[in-house]
Amino acid sequence: MNKMMKSLLPLAIGATLSTQAWSQDFDLILEEVVVTAQKRVERLQDVPISVNAVSGAKMDEAGITNLEGMTAYVPNLTMNQTGIGTIIAIRGISSGINQGFEQSVGQYVDGVYYGRSQLARAPFMDLERVEVLRGPQSILFGKNSIAGAISMVTAKPTEEFEGQVTALYEPSHGEKDVRVVVSGPLTDSLRGRLSVLGRDIDGYYENTTLNRDESAEEEHVIRGQLSWDASDDLSMNLKIESGSFNTQGRFLEPINPIETTGGLPYATALLATTGGAFVLDTDQDFKRQSNGDSSENDTKNATLTIDYALGDHTLTAVTGYNAYNYEEICDCDFTGATIFTADSREDFNQYSQEIRIASPQGETIDYIGGLFYQSSDMTFDDAIRVPATSVLGVLSTSLLGTASQRDFTQDSTLWAGFAQATWNIDTDWRLTVGGRYTSEDKTATRTQHHTNSLGADVGSSDALLNTVFTAFLIEPYSEIKDKRSEAAFTPLVTLQWDATEDMMVYATYTEGFKAGGFDVRSNAHPDPAYGVNIIANPSPLVIIQTSNTYGFAPGVFEYEEEKATSFELGSKMTLADGAAELNVALFHTNYTDLQTSQFDGKLGFNVTNAGEATTQGIELDGRWLVAEGLTLSGSVGMLDFQFDSFPNSQCYFGQTPNSTDYPGLCDLSGKTREFAPEYQGTLSADYNRALGDDMEWRVTGDINFSDSYFTSPTLDPNLEQDAYAKLNLRFAVGSADGDWEVALVGKNLTDEKVATFGNQLPVSTALTSGTGTAYYSFFDRPRSIALQGTMRF
């Protein structure tokens, strides 16, 4: 597979570069791509940023229903669901698993910041385009977008009446998707748009415990927009949206059980406690065992955008409200054995206000500047529960019905001032300088306490609960409370040169900043001297041990800010008299105090500032209108990620601790990180022809490929995904005027089994007294073929 990909890439690049020779006989010009990556409407080829733009039409045709589906078409972008969160990464940089994190990859919808990882799982609907900006976006986007920004632009109300109904059905996994859009004028100055989505899927996993398909998803969204031209100088757009996305089950299964010499296998430990009734299925056949998982999410958002002409300048105000809540139940031992369950709830509210002014374009100096304010509050609580039928009852029946609970609150206030100016030195040279000053305050509290079988709070006074839960690094304590204030100035300098009429070259230096914060999910107390005395285990299952027997780190409450320094050199070229484009970007970014999330080896995750890291590489993307009706396109990202200093990483199972400064931990200095393949990309072809006088047919093919990568933060070799290539095909027949279309949509026709996240099965090392373990992994959807129909009016 590696040899095939490495031979395809130079051929694809060479083909694009040779378009002058191939296209001389055609009077063909590519349609321009327009973006707002710099808060202005600009041609993509004029923007000095490594940016990919995917149109709403492409997303509809490819069946892209959420951000995870976008990753196949944007190099160096990955998104992965985990057991308790979502990870988004650009160029190998992500925030990891913790509800306290705001994402290193900033997500923006119509200019409003969506920084919470849970919102990355929300469904896409009726988008004009999605722009992915790689590298620190510290000036015009700003809010913590230290790895990059994903800007989603919803389709706006139209001057003319139009509507669209799209329906999709996929029988193998029971997927049904219906979308309805109606848009048009309401009065001479008022326009409206209504968009509705309903989607559900049975899933592609078989839960052999509950005898059902998983993960069953159900999504609903309704969005209304009004655009009002109040006067020649004043226009407003109001968007209100409500949605939900719920799931039953998860996309994971146990894999790769291992043990040390003479050790106790995890399956044997489970069998010993279930009377031989339990089977640990690790055959990687899209089967899993679970007593039930669920996630219920509700979202609300409203955005008011006001544009006012002040002479030749434009004053813009963007007011945003964003809220969500969810409830999740996780059978987090990820087996059919009844051991424990975890449930969690989060309620989040955010208000933001941005005011900016932009000068007219084309002057000697163009500029844009403004002020930004945001406040948010979050409450989170979760619990590890021992069900009445748990096998842990062999330790003591008094454990049944008990729980260890956590409560967390956080309030945040941020304000920023920003400005960016471009000096058009002459017709060929431009110099852009910018800066953003950000100040943020956070206050947080966290409490961990136990409850007995009657539901009464016993805090840390129950010796039995202390014994058992502390064995899993869950330490009860009264409220921890703290606050932090921090500020940063992040500059940007970009030099652009129009080397020819068809080639622009740019060089950029910028700095990035991501605020520190408070760890939500750490189970142990942050003070290493804190601890609850535990006793020798009286049961046949030897699972009790002191907290640091295997070198596990103490808990975490506060973590520090993350900083980045980035250099980028790029070029955007128009070739073959406008029939082709090729864009290239070379980048080198150094991160200090990189915020990572480390599994504590039991049930929790600790936030760790990982010293220093460097990410560097090259990104290419291009399009070629070969002939009338035939377009080739492709993009590839090559990445070299390395921890320059990370002496305090958790070790994977069986790894010998080798950290000099942190006894019991492992030093990952000089190593890569998870979700950082050396290359990934896509090659596409789109061909359409007339079919008689009134119809046409069209075929679109994509090859999405990736090199191997680790799926676990510890770089466990048992959790490495091999290189792969997925083939997607779409064949459509429709009317020549676009009023209707019927298509077959095939995804992953090569039926690749691709792991997107993996880790140790919780409690597997504890139940085997550290002599054995097992793993779980999330897997992408296998081959699917759907029927899609569209009607426009």
Side-chain angles (χ1 to χ4, degrees):
M1 184 68 70
N2 285 338
K3 290 183 179 179
M4 181 186 75
M5 289 298 103
K6 289 179 180 178
S7 63
L8 278 175
L9 295 180
L11 286 175
I13 297 168
T16 307
L17 289 171
S18 64
T19 53
Q20 180 68 48
W22 284 85
S23 299
Q24 290 175 352
D25 296 334
F26 303 109
D27 185 17
L28 303 171
I29 298 177
L30 282 167
E31 182 179 354
E32 288 185 350
V33 177
V34 175
V35 297
T36 52
Q38 298 189 110
K39 302 291 186 177
R40 298 177 183 270
V41 177
E42 299 174 287
R43 293 174 59 248
L44 176 62
Q45 296 305 101
D46 295 333
V47 178
I49 300 172
S50 179
V51 54
N52 277 80
V54 181
S55 69
K58 173 63 177 178
M59 287 183 279
D60 289 342
E61 293 169 0
I64 298 173
T65 59
N66 54 29
L67 184 57
E68 193 167 7
M70 280 281 298
T71 61
Y73 298 91
V74 180
N76 286 338
L77 169 68
T78 62
M79 172 185 161
N80 309 94
Q81 291 191 40
T82 74
I84 56 172
T86 304
I87 299 173
I88 310 172
I90 287 181
R91 294 175 175 173
I93 299 298
S94 63
S95 292
I97 308 165
N98 199 284
Q99 281 80 357
F101 279 137
E102 293 187 74
Q103 295 299 292
S104 299
V105 179
Q107 187 179 349
Y108 300 82
V109 180
D110 293 327
V112 176
Y113 179 62
Y114 284 41
R116 313 297 302 173
S117 64
Q118 196 77 359
L119 292 173
R121 294 165 55 186
F124 281 1
M125 178 186 66
D126 194 25
L127 295 177
E128 181 178 315
R129 65 184 179 278
V130 176
E131 303 171 15
V132 180
L133 291 70
R134 292 177 290 249
Q137 303 300 317
S138 305
I139 311 303
L140 301 180
F141 289 93
K143 172 60 174 160
N144 289 335
S145 303
I146 196 168
I150 300 173
S151 177
M152 305 179 188
V153 182
T154 60
K156 299 300 186 290
T158 53
E159 298 281 355
E160 302 293 333
F161 176 78
E162 63 180 42
Q164 178 173 312
V165 178
T166 302
L168 178 144
Y169 176 65
E170 196 280 326
S172 296
H173 308 137
E175 181 181 13
K176 297 177 286 293
D177 187 313
V178 178
R179 300 164 188 247
V180 179
V181 177
V182 179
S183 178
L186 301 176
T187 69
D188 290 342
S189 60
L190 184 66
R191 301 174 298 282
R193 190 179 188 95
L194 178 66
S195 310
V196 180
L197 162 69
R199 176 180 178 269
D200 62 80
I201 181 174
D202 295 336
Y204 51 89
Y205 269 91
E206 179 187 357
N207 185 329
T208 59
T209 305
L210 300 177
N211 192 27
R212 70 181 189 185
D213 291 333
E214 292 182 349
S215 171
E217 301 177 9
E218 186 175 325
E219 302 171 345
H220 297 93
V221 180
I222 181 168
R223 177 193 303 150
Q225 293 194 71
L226 291 174
S227 292
W228 179 35
D229 296 329
S231 69
D232 292 340
D233 296 328
L234 178 64
S235 62
M236 304 181 185
N237 191 92
L238 174 65
K239 180 191 71 178
I240 299 176
E241 179 179 292
S242 177
S244 65
F245 52 100
N246 306 321
T247 63
Q248 297 288 329
R250 294 177 186 273
F251 303 114
L252 67 84
E253 60 185 303
I255 59 172
N256 301 343
I258 59 173
E259 65 201 76
T260 58
T261 302
L264 179 66
Y266 181 41
T268 302
L270 288 174
L271 285 169
T273 62
T274 57
F278 173 74
V279 177
L280 185 65
D281 188 347
T282 58
D283 291 335
Q284 301 188 47
D285 51 4
F286 291 108
K287 291 184 179 181
R288 65 185 304 255
Q289 295 178 329
S290 169
N291 296 297
D293 307 81
S294 64
S295 177
E296 297 183 358
N297 303 259
D298 293 303
T299 64
K300 293 180 175 62
N301 66 79
T303 303
L304 175 63
T305 303
I306 301 174
D307 290 307
Y308 183 65
L310 287 174
D312 293 333
H313 289 66
T314 301
L315 181 67
T316 300
V318 181
T319 305
Y321 172 75
N322 181 21
Y324 69 86
N325 62 79
Y326 71 79
E327 295 185 7
E328 291 192 343
I329 298 175
C330 178
D331 183 22
C332 278
D333 53 67
F334 301 141
T335 71
T338 303
I339 304 177
F340 70 92
T341 62
D343 55 74
S344 60
R345 289 149 296 278
E346 183 177 343
D347 196 335
F348 177 82
N349 291 271
Q350 173 187 293
Y351 167 81
S352 64
Q353 179 66 63
E354 178 172 303
I355 299 175
R356 63 179 184 266
I357 189 167
S359 70
Q361 293 179 268
E363 303 296 319
T364 301
I365 296 180
D366 300 337
Y367 60 86
I368 185 171
L371 298 172
F372 176 78
Y373 170 83
Q374 178 181 292
S375 64
S376 65
D377 62 82
M378 178 183 72
T379 60
F380 176 87
D381 67 270
D382 66 347
I384 303 293
R385 303 187 187 277
V386 182
T389 56
S390 172
V391 300
L392 296 180
V394 301
L395 297 176
S396 171
T397 56
S398 298
L399 282 174
L400 301 178
T402 63
S404 185
Q405 299 187 181
R406 172 179 29 231
D407 301 294
F408 180 90
T409 66
Q410 178 174 281
D411 296 317
S412 174
T413 302
L414 174 145
W415 69 268
F418 59 91
Q420 180 171 300
T422 298
W423 175 24
N424 297 297
I425 301 171
D426 56 31
T427 56
D428 296 331
W429 291 88
R430 294 175 295 284
L431 177 66
T432 299
V433 295
R436 187 181 189 102
Y437 179 83
T438 303
S439 176
E440 185 167 11
D441 298 315
K442 290 180 180 176
T443 302
T445 66
R446 193 178 77 199
T447 304
Q448 186 84 45
H449 57 101
H450 299 330
T451 58
N452 62 22
S453 59
L454 299 176
D457 188 347
V458 295
S460 58
S461 64
D462 189 295
L464 175 64
L465 296 184
N466 291 341
T467 299
V468 175
F469 283 116
T470 303
F472 296 102
L473 302 186
I474 301 175
E475 297 175 330
Y477 48 82
S478 56
E479 182 180 272
I480 304 173
K481 183 176 183 178
D482 206 347
K483 62 181 179 180
R484 59 181 291 123
S485 299
E486 51 198 323
F489 176 75
T490 49
L492 172 143
V493 179
T494 297
L495 182 64
Q496 286 179 260
W497 173 42
D498 291 335
T500 69
E501 290 184 357
D502 297 321
M503 182 172 70
M504 182 267 285
V505 180
Y506 67 91
T508 295
Y509 169 82
T510 188
E511 296 178 9
F513 166 81
K514 183 169 179 282
F518 299 96
D519 190 326
V520 174
R521 291 203 52 87
S522 183
N523 285 331
H525 194 281
D527 184 353
Y530 181 91
V532 178
N533 291 329
I534 59 177
I535 61 176
N537 179 25
S539 100
L541 285 176
V542 185
I543 70 169
I544 304 301
Q545 60 198 42
T546 58
S547 294
N548 288 312
T549 298
Y550 296 106
F552 297 121
V556 174
F557 184 55
E558 185 175 4
Y559 54 90
E560 298 305 315
E561 67 271 16
E562 178 181 304
K563 297 179 181 179
T565 302
S566 181
F567 300 88
E568 184 168 306
L569 176 65
S571 178
K572 299 198 172 183
M573 294 167 275
T574 301
L575 307 170
D577 296 326
E581 295 172 349
L582 177 64
N583 303 325
V584 183
L586 294 165
F587 61 91
H588 177 98
T589 308
N590 179 257
Y591 289 84
T592 57
D593 290 326
L594 189 68
Q595 297 166 1
T596 66
S597 180
Q598 295 286 318
F599 182 50
D600 67 7
K602 299 295 184 178
L603 294 172
F605 289 81
N606 295 327
V607 177
T608 302
N609 285 95
E612 297 184 8
T614 297
T615 177
Q616 59 188 356
I618 183 171
E619 292 156 348
L620 304 97
D621 65 84
R623 299 186 296 156
W624 177 18
L625 184 57
V626 181
E628 184 177 359
L630 175 61
T631 302
L632 302 180
S633 59
S635 56
V636 63
M638 299 182 183
L639 180 66
D640 175 21
F641 181 98
Q642 177 177 289
F643 284 115
D644 300 314
S645 174
F646 190 6
N648 53 331
S649 171
Q650 297 291 345
C651 304
Y652 60 78
F653 179 82
Q655 185 178 18
T656 302
N658 62 355
S659 178
T660 303
D661 299 325
Y662 297 88
L665 299 180
C666 285
D667 191 341
L668 291 188
S669 301
K671 303 292 186 180
T672 185
R673 74 172 303 177
E674 74 277 19
F675 314 128
E678 290 188 4
Y679 64 82
Q680 61 178 164
T682 184
L683 299 174
S684 301
D686 187 299
Y687 183 64
N688 65 82
R689 297 285 292 181
L691 186 63
D693 294 333
D694 301 322
M695 297 174 60
E696 65 178 17
W697 63 273
R698 180 179 178 187
V699 61
T700 304
D702 302 314
I703 298 176
N704 308 134
F705 55 89
S706 173
D707 193 15
S708 60
Y709 56 86
F710 292 101
T711 65
S712 168
T714 60
L715 309 185
D716 194 317
N718 288 285
L719 294 167
E720 184 175 4
Q721 169 62 47
D722 293 334
Y724 65 86
K726 291 182 180 181
L727 173 64
N728 305 318
L729 283 175
R730 184 179 188 271
F731 180 77
V733 176
S735 63
D737 57 12
D739 284 348
W740 64 270
E741 182 184 69
V742 177
L744 281 176
V745 182
K747 294 184 181 181
N748 191 13
L749 295 178
T750 46
D751 206 23
E752 296 280 351
K753 189 163 188 180
V754 177
T756 59
F757 180 81
N759 222 318
Q760 289 177 237
L761 277 173
V763 312
S764 59
T765 52
L767 289 181
T768 61
S769 298
T771 64
T773 195
Y775 301 92
Y776 68 91
S777 186
F778 282 73
F779 288 98
D780 268 349
R781 187 173 175 178
R783 180 190 297 119
S784 66
I785 300 176
L787 178 66
Q788 183 185 58
T790 301
M791 183 164 52
R792 302 178 181 90
F793 51 88

